[in-house]
Amino acid sequence: MSAPALPADLRRTPPRPDTPADAAPPARRALRTHLGTLAGTAVLAVLLWRMGTGAFLDGLRRIDAPTVLAALGIGLVTTVFSAWRWALVARGLRIRLPLGPAVADYYRALFLNAALPGGILGDVHRAVRHGRGAGDLGRGVRAVVLERVAGQLALIGTGAVVLLTLPSPVRDEARRAGPLLALALLGAVAVVLALRPHRAPARRGRALRALGETRRALLSRRNLPGVAVSSAVVLAGHLVMFALAARVAGSGATPAELIPLAVLALLAMGLPLNVGGWGPREGVTAWAFGAAGLGAGTGLGVAVVYGVLSLVASLPGAVVLVVRRFERPDGSYGRPGRFSGAGSPVRREKYAPKDSARLASSSFPFSAEPSEGRPMTPESV
């Protein structure tokens, strides 16, 4: 009797793991993954080499207990309003996110962003956790992405106005480059619109659905006021934190001088080339203060103090991380007995109409009208 034939997938000869063709793609992926960390480390190394450790150490010595309490207070305001913006965006995507868990998850994400390389791993964690808890991973990820996009759009819009109007080292360059950038943006939009009819129907349908979700999450009549107000408050909180860092570092700059420099530092923080937020922020701030005649060393000290205060403001996230590690499955939202990410239990809930009617009250500090008593669950979408 002949032996039974093996399935086709088992008859294939496995590739040799030591061949260059197989080893190259993982190496390239690893390089792309760690490129931002390497770039941030290089920026910090150059700053230390050119300016020494005096600015770093002097900034750290100036931080006292009242400064720490002020940073925690500012962080509380910005985190609550950021979490409220996230809840609004999630509601626009028809997934429910109560404000209390949103604040806790946002604190944890901020702490992970500050403690881990890359500066985005905390956001990835809260996106995956919320998506799995809501029963729709894709919508959970899109909610976090759109929430972050809303914050970046507020920063870019405000930054454009500030850098074009207030005195700064880049005002002349911004005024010269502004019209060119506007024309380039219009050209890119025209090209995209011209290519839309040539897209495959499936891709065109996905693009239209994505645009519809973006409109509901950010631009709808119910969400736009709340998203705009929360983004403005969060941006104002970051500017106040920067002003506090400048005062602690001993800078005598006026608010009119500090605001453009703070905008440049915040824009630099958005670059994915950092180590837990460190790197481009320190380099840009040192250059901006030096170009403004305020001293590059002072700018570096301001950036260092700002980074430390931002880490202090995120420390409640460490408490959330520890508590969630030992939390029982019936003490959180999501699926019972299922753990994700850093061990946080996730339990999926069925929301009755009375729970949906309380959605507005859970959207403190500003509320909106609930959906006529209809539960906002993944099954109802």
Side-chain angles (χ1 to χ4, degrees):
M1 181 181 299
S2 60
L6 291 174
D9 56 345
L10 294 181
R11 290 200 303 268
R12 297 193 188 103
T13 302
R16 294 179 60 186
D18 55 348
T19 58
D22 296 321
R28 286 197 296 267
R29 287 196 297 269
L31 179 61
R32 288 195 299 267
T33 301
H34 299 291
L35 180 60
T37 302
L38 294 175
T41 303
V43 171
L44 291 176
V46 171
L47 289 173
L48 288 173
W49 172 56
R50 294 295 301 272
M51 307 185 69
T53 60
F56 284 87
L57 299 178
D58 185 61
L60 294 177
R61 283 194 295 264
R62 290 173 177 267
I63 299 175
D64 53 12
T67 303
V68 169
L69 293 177
L72 288 172
I74 297 171
L76 175 63
V77 174
T78 57
T79 304
V80 169
F81 275 86
S82 297
W84 177 51
R85 180 176 61 195
W86 181 26
L88 289 176
V89 172
R91 183 185 64 183
L93 298 180
R94 298 194 177 101
I95 52 178
R96 187 173 186 270
L97 177 61
L99 184 65
V103 172
D105 284 353
Y106 216 103
Y107 258 124
R108 178 175 53 187
L110 291 175
F111 175 73
L112 293 177
N113 285 344
L116 299 177
I120 61 171
L121 295 180
D123 292 325
V124 173
H125 181 270
R126 68 180 171 103
V128 173
R129 184 180 187 275
H130 179 229
R132 288 176 176 174
D136 193 328
L137 180 59
R139 288 188 181 183
V141 172
R142 289 194 292 274
V144 172
V145 170
L146 291 176
E147 183 268 326
R148 298 295 294 170
V149 166
Q152 290 300 312
L153 289 177
L155 173 60
I156 292 172
T158 304
V161 174
V162 168
L163 296 179
L164 288 172
T165 56
L166 295 180
S168 72
V170 299
R171 183 176 64 175
D172 295 336
E173 290 77 5
R175 288 178 174 178
R176 285 194 294 266
L180 297 178
L181 292 176
L183 289 176
L185 180 60
L186 290 177
V189 172
V191 170
V192 171
L193 293 177
L195 295 178
R196 279 183 61 185
H198 303 287
R199 288 184 177 180
R203 293 183 61 188
R204 188 162 58 247
R206 288 195 297 268
L208 291 176
R209 285 194 297 271
L211 289 175
E213 286 187 339
T214 303
R215 185 193 63 80
R216 289 196 307 270
L218 301 180
L219 304 176
S220 65
R221 186 168 56 183
R222 296 179 61 197
N223 275 12
L224 179 58
V227 171
V229 169
S230 60
S231 299
V233 172
V234 172
L235 179 56
H238 292 321
L239 295 177
V240 171
M241 184 79 81
F242 191 88
L244 175 64
R247 184 188 64 81
V248 172
S251 172
T254 64
E257 293 173 325
L258 279 178
I259 290 177
L261 305 180
V263 168
L264 289 173
L266 294 176
L267 290 172
M269 286 176 59
L271 298 175
L273 305 172
N274 58 76
V275 184
W278 297 77
R281 176 185 61 210
E282 284 68 33
V284 169
T285 307
W287 168 82
F289 270 73
L294 300 173
T298 301
L300 180 57
V302 172
V304 170
V305 174
Y306 182 89
V308 174
L309 295 184
S310 298
L311 177 61
V312 169
S314 70
L315 287 181
V319 179
V320 174
L321 193 64
V322 173
V323 171
R324 289 281 177 85
R325 174 72 67 175
F326 299 102
E327 192 178 23
R328 296 177 60 86
D330 57 359
S332 67
Y333 63 99
R335 293 184 180 178
R338 182 173 180 176
F339 289 78
S340 66
S344 303
V346 179
R347 180 173 57 86
R348 186 174 178 178
E349 293 183 0
K350 303 291 185 180
Y351 293 99
K354 61 181 181 180
D355 293 322
S356 178
R358 288 197 296 267
L359 179 60
S361 63
S362 67
S363 297
F364 173 83
F366 297 92
S367 60
E369 293 297 326
S371 300
E372 301 297 335
R374 294 175 58 191
M376 300 180 71
T377 62
E379 290 78 12
S380 65
V381 175

